Coordinates of all heavy atoms in Angstrom, one line a residue:
P392 N 96.4 -80.7 219.6 CA 97.0 -81.6 220.5 C 96.0 -82.6 221.1 O 96.4 -83.6 221.8 CB 97.6 -80.7 221.6 CG 96.8 -79.4 221.5 CD 96.5 -79.3 220.0
D393 N 94.7 -82.4 220.9 CA 93.7 -83.3 221.5 C 93.5 -84.5 220.7 O 92.7 -85.4 221.1 CB 92.4 -82.5 221.8 CG 91.8 -82.0 220.5 OD1 92.5 -81.3 219.7 OD2 90.6 -82.3 220.2
V394 N 94.1 -84.6 219.5 CA 93.9 -85.7 218.6 C 95.1 -86.6 218.7 O 96.1 -86.3 218.2 CB 93.7 -85.3 217.1 CG1 93.4 -86.5 216.2 CG2 92.5 -84.3 217.0
K395 N 94.9 -87.7 219.4 CA 96.0 -88.7 219.6 C 96.5 -89.3 218.3 O 95.7 -89.7 217.5 CB 95.6 -89.8 220.6 CG 95.3 -89.3 222.0 CD 94.9 -90.5 222.9 CE 94.6 -90.0 224.3 NZ 94.3 -91.1 225.2
G396 N 97.8 -89.3 218.1 CA 98.4 -89.9 216.9 C 98.4 -89.0 215.7 O 99.0 -89.4 214.7
A397 N 97.8 -87.8 215.8 CA 97.9 -86.9 214.7 C 99.3 -86.3 214.6 O 99.9 -86.0 215.6 CB 96.8 -85.9 214.8
S398 N 99.7 -86.0 213.4 CA 101.0 -85.4 213.2 C 100.9 -84.2 212.4 O 100.1 -84.1 211.5 CB 102.0 -86.4 212.6 OG 101.6 -86.8 211.3
A399 N 101.8 -83.2 212.7 CA 101.8 -82.0 211.9 C 102.5 -82.2 210.6 O 103.3 -83.1 210.5 CB 102.5 -80.9 212.7
P400 N 102.2 -81.4 209.5 CA 102.9 -81.5 208.3 C 104.4 -81.3 208.6 O 104.8 -80.6 209.5 CB 102.3 -80.4 207.4 CG 101.0 -80.2 208.0 CD 101.1 -80.4 209.5
T401 N 105.3 -81.9 207.8 CA 106.7 -81.8 208.0 C 107.2 -80.4 207.7 O 106.7 -79.7 206.9 CB 107.5 -82.8 207.1 OG1 107.1 -82.6 205.7 CG2 107.1 -84.3 207.5
L402 N 108.3 -80.1 208.4 CA 108.9 -78.8 208.2 C 110.4 -78.8 208.7 O 110.6 -79.3 209.8 CB 108.2 -77.7 209.0 CG 108.5 -76.2 208.6 CD1 108.0 -76.0 207.1 CD2 107.8 -75.2 209.5
Y403 N 111.3 -78.3 207.9 CA 112.7 -78.4 208.3 C 113.3 -77.0 208.0 O 112.8 -76.2 207.3 CB 113.4 -79.4 207.4 CG 112.9 -80.8 207.5 CD1 111.8 -81.2 206.7 CD2 113.5 -81.7 208.3 CE1 111.3 -82.5 206.8 CE2 113.0 -83.0 208.4 CZ 111.9 -83.4 207.7 OH 111.5 -84.7 207.8
H404 N 114.5 -76.8 208.7 CA 115.2 -75.5 208.5 C 116.7 -75.8 208.4 O 117.2 -76.8 209.0 CB 114.9 -74.5 209.5 CG 115.4 -74.8 210.9 ND1 116.6 -74.3 211.4 CD2 114.9 -75.6 211.9 CE1 116.8 -74.7 212.6 NE2 115.8 -75.5 213.0
S405 N 117.4 -75.0 207.8 CA 118.8 -75.0 207.7 C 119.4 -73.6 207.8 O 118.9 -72.7 207.2 CB 119.3 -75.7 206.4 OG 120.7 -75.7 206.2
Y406 N 120.5 -73.5 208.5 CA 121.1 -72.2 208.7 C 122.6 -72.2 208.4 O 123.3 -73.2 208.8 CB 120.9 -71.7 210.2 CG 121.6 -70.4 210.5 CD1 121.1 -69.2 210.1 CD2 122.7 -70.4 211.3 CE1 121.7 -68.0 210.4 CE2 123.3 -69.2 211.6 CZ 122.8 -68.0 211.2 OH 123.4 -66.8 211.5
G407 N 123.1 -71.3 207.6 CA 124.5 -71.2 207.4 C 124.9 -71.6 206.0 O 124.0 -71.7 205.1
P408 N 126.1 -71.9 205.7 CA 126.6 -72.2 204.4 C 126.2 -73.7 203.9 O 127.1 -74.6 203.8 CB 128.2 -72.1 204.5 CG 128.4 -72.4 205.9 CD 127.2 -71.9 206.7
T409 N 125.0 -73.9 203.7 CA 124.4 -75.2 203.4 C 124.9 -75.7 202.0 O 124.8 -74.9 201.0 CB 122.9 -75.2 203.4 OG1 122.5 -74.7 204.7 CG2 122.3 -76.6 203.2

Side-chain angles (χ1 to χ4, degrees):
D393 62 306
V394 182
K395 294 182 179 180
S398 58
T401 57
L402 197 65
Y403 301 85
H404 70 96
S405 178
Y406 175 73
T409 305

